[in-house]
């Protein structure tokens, strides 16, 4: 089973450290293709929701090379990058274990990218353009569950609803051969704004944790939702 407790308390990364982590990821040399910080956050949640703990060496390799997990060149020192990633991993793990709300690393789009008219999304309904900001997080989550398929091998009937809350932000073409999931998404109302979309990602993560990492004692109650605050702008 996945680890039932974080290895050590983790101090949350502050805004400066998140920017530092992004800068370190940007320095990963080609041809490696690293995650960005928003994709990384969704990816870590996907890793942590596996029913069996994924060895750190396996998931860490895909942070700096998303699809293939190729090794870093010998001259590249990943120490600080790995330190920051590990702190976020431990922080998210603690939130998932305790079924506590957390702040996903999703950031508002630039004003010019969020001023377009809402467009219909493959029949899934309409959402304001600002909601597109969650797409990298969802893409990172999708990468994790593709690389490490343990979660997706659990009871499909239980997984459908919480997965739909996440994958509603993907296009239908990205969900081929997932008829039950597509049908569930078509019944859902899209998020009304970015705040609601982000809160939905957290709720889906904790619902999936109830399936893949069930609490062994009395069922935990979700902590109250955080104040209705918008994600920060980057």
């Amino acid at each position: 089973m996945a680890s039932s407790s974080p290895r050590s308390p983790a101090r949350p990364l502050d805004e400066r450290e998140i920017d530092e982590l992004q800068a370190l990821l940007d320095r990963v040399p080609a041809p490696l293709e690293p995650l960005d910080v928003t994709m990384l956050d969704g990816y870590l949640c996907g890793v942590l929701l596996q029913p069996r703990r994924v060895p750190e060496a396996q998931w860490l390799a895909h942070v700096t090379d998303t699809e293939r997990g190729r090794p870093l060149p010998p001259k590249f020192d990943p120490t600080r990058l790995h330190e920051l990633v590990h702190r976020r991993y431990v922080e998210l793990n603690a939130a998932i274990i305790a079924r506590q709300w957390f702040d996903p690393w999703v950031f508002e789009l630039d004003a010019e990218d969020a001023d377009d008219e809402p467009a219909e999304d493959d029949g899934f309904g309409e959402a304001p353009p600002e909601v597109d900001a969650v797409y990298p997080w969802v893409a990172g989550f999708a990468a994790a569950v593709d690389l490490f398929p343990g979660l997706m091998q659990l009871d499909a009937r239980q997984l459908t609803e919480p997965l739909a809350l996440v994958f509603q932000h993907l296009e239908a073409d990205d969900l081929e051969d997932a008829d039950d999931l597509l049908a569930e998404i078509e019944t859902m109302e899209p998020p009304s704004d970015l705040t609601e979309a982000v809160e939905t990602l957290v709720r889906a993560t904790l619902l999936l944790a109830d399936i893949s990492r069930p609490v062994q004692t009395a069922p935990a109650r979700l902590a109250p939702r955080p104040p209705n605050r918008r994600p920060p702008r980057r």
Side-chain angles (χ1 to χ4, degrees):
M1 293 295 291
S3 174
S4 61
S5 61
R7 289 194 292 182
S8 60
R11 177 173 60 85
L13 274 66
D14 59 27
E15 186 174 346
R16 179 189 61 79
E17 289 171 318
I18 296 173
D19 289 341
E20 179 188 1
L21 176 54
Q22 182 60 65
L24 291 168
L25 291 166
D26 289 341
R27 292 176 197 155
V28 172
L32 276 62
E33 299 179 347
L35 301 165
D36 64 25
V37 292
T38 301
M39 289 185 69
L40 169 67
D41 209 53
Y43 172 78
L44 291 178
C45 285
V47 168
L48 285 163
L49 288 173
Q50 298 304 314
R52 294 184 179 275
R53 188 181 72 84
V54 180
E56 184 171 287
Q58 289 185 22
W59 65 257
L60 201 53
H62 294 277
V63 170
T64 47
D65 191 38
T66 308
E67 293 186 7
R68 298 173 61 183
R70 290 168 289 187
L72 289 161
K75 292 184 179 180
F76 186 90
D77 182 2
T79 303
R80 178 60 174 167
L81 188 158
H82 287 173
E83 174 193 341
L84 295 173
V85 170
H86 181 258
R87 276 174 50 196
R88 182 57 171 172
Y89 175 93
V90 173
E91 179 189 359
L92 288 170
N93 189 39
I96 288 170
I97 290 168
R99 303 299 193 264
Q100 294 289 320
W101 291 85
F102 58 89
D103 288 327
W105 287 353
V106 173
F107 306 98
E108 288 185 329
L109 299 171
D110 293 335
E112 59 268 23
D113 295 328
D115 285 343
D116 300 330
E117 291 296 321
E120 188 166 341
D121 184 14
D122 291 283
F124 293 166
E126 295 183 355
E130 65 182 88
V131 171
D132 289 345
V134 305
Y135 177 80
W137 195 100
V138 174
F141 179 92
V145 299
D146 184 54
L147 289 164
F148 310 110
L151 173 66
M152 302 298 284
Q153 293 171 351
L154 300 177
D155 187 343
R157 293 169 299 177
Q158 291 183 295
L159 294 174
T160 297
E161 182 178 354
L163 285 177
L165 294 172
V166 177
F167 288 148
Q168 66 177 310
H169 301 290
L170 299 179
E171 295 185 3
D173 289 346
D174 296 325
L175 298 172
E176 294 180 0
D177 302 322
D179 293 344
D180 290 344
L181 189 57
L182 288 166
E184 180 69 24
I185 291 171
E186 289 175 352
T187 69
M188 297 168 51
E189 288 291 331
S192 60
D193 58 25
L194 182 54
T195 298
E196 182 182 348
V198 169
E199 290 181 350
T200 299
L201 295 180
V202 179
R203 184 161 68 92
T205 298
L206 300 182
L207 289 171
L208 287 166
D210 284 340
I211 300 167
S212 65
R213 299 180 58 177
V215 177
Q216 300 301 318
T217 57
R221 299 181 64 86
L222 292 183
R225 292 190 180 193
N228 188 25
R229 58 190 181 195
R230 297 184 62 82
R233 187 182 300 278
R234 287 182 68 83

